[in-house]
Amino acid sequence: MGNLITCSISCDEWMDKISQWLDKKVGYIHDLEKNLATLENSMVKLKAKRNDLLRKATREEDKGGQRLEEFQVWLKKVESLDQKVDALLDARDVQLQRHGNISRKDGVGIMGMYGMGGVGKTTLLMQINNKFSEERCGFDFVIWVVVSKELHVEKIQDEIAQKVGLDGEKWEKKKKSQKTIDLYNFLKKKRFVLFLDDIWEKVDLTEIGVPFPAPENRCKVVFTTRKQGVCSEMMAEEQLEVQCLAEIEAFDLFQKKVGQKTLDSDPEIPKLAKDVARKCGGLPLALNVIGETMSCKKTVEEWRHAINVLTSYATEFSGMEDKILPLLKYSYDNLKGEDVKSCLLYCALFPEDDLISKKYLIDYLICEDIIDGSEGIERAENKGYEIIGDLVRASLLMEDADMEQNVCVCMMLFAKWHCGLHLNWEEKRRLSLCMQV
Ligand SMILES: Nc1ncnc2c1ncn2[C@@H]1O[C@H](COP(=O)(O)OP(=O)(O)OP(=O)(O)O)[C@@H](O)[C@H]1O
Ligand SMILES: [Mg+2]
């Protein structure tokens, strides 16, 4: 048996490596493919070692020997690592690799990614877009367009024109039909991949002037949508469902958002945290928002209260399609300061997923008296930036990375919740009128 323990020392190296990778979350996109391959490889080697040792142990047992307790513990550790690695390889981040590979396959012209709101479709599409932008893969153009609920063909045309360099004064004067012809004539000689984020109905590529992706032109269109039916309407050759995070992955994200300090503040909190995380149903949006909300709650009583409130909101909203609404309401209730809440409600009046200039938003907020401007404009503007910062940290507003952080985007789901349920008609009308000024 002494043999067995000596052998296990070399295996512990593998075990340590794998544990480290799991801690670091190999799934994160940087070097994803390489890291996952190495992880998988290491796990195969570790399991081969385990099998060798098990065979040796059986031989020793046949001769009357006995397994050391330590060996049993080691076997259990390997088993648990194996499960974690399996979960990770199956997990959602790996979808990126698979989706990325599929979207690179030559046979696939149109690919649709569907899934519920807040599940991470845009995030995945953006990651694929970044990969294509970095690696090029023989494409002349990698084009990203956000479509959103209201479909405006001309807006899409203008964005594509801008990305391929057809825009300018002359372009602006052209009619929609001319833009269709010009775009088509330009793109038919190019190899492009077009990413369309958040489509709600069929986007007619011909009407826009986008040549239909075919094996001959080796062009691609990849889009996201909440509705699976849209994938068929778009004639997507590949339809991929973006799924919620698996339990381990979800809890991992939640813990990160809550922070170790809060989790360690009482021995009972980690268990309660599991219950709260479970209520987020594996939705990244909910895990981020609720995780952030809970990060300042350091007593068991506060966590129990959160569970009670979330349970009662879930009943209140039980008829609603979006399971995320009670979670968003809870995080809204927990925002510190009426001005922060009012700012969020105000943002929700902007079109869904619209980019809002921070400067303009702050000007509006001052004019609306949501921010007190009586003590000087500079002070009021600083307050405005502080409020926006609070909302971004709470994952209720997003900053647009490409625009030097001068704009933020209102989360679509929040807008829906607030407009549908929270404001009364008079308030909505008043705010909408202000927006038109
Ligand atoms: N794998 C992930 N890990 C951590 N956070 C994530 C992950 N995927 C998405 N998120 C976060 O969850 C939130 C929602 O993601 P995203 O906007 O991609 O969802 P969506 O499916 O596009 O939603 P919608 O249908 O409303 O457009 C974002 O704040 C995003 O940063
Ligand atoms: Mg989206």
Side-chain angles (χ1 to χ4, degrees), residues 121-122 197-198:
K121 300 178 293 297
T122 302
D197 186 35
D198 199 21

Side-chain angles (χ1 to χ4, degrees), residues 116-123 146 197-199 224-226 353 398 411-412:
M116 64 198 287
V119 77
K121 300 178 293 297
T122 302
T123 310
V146 178
D197 186 35
D198 199 21
I199 69 176
T224 68
T225 178
R226 290 218 191 148
D353 291 330
M398 287 196 297
M411 301 295 297
M412 209 291 296

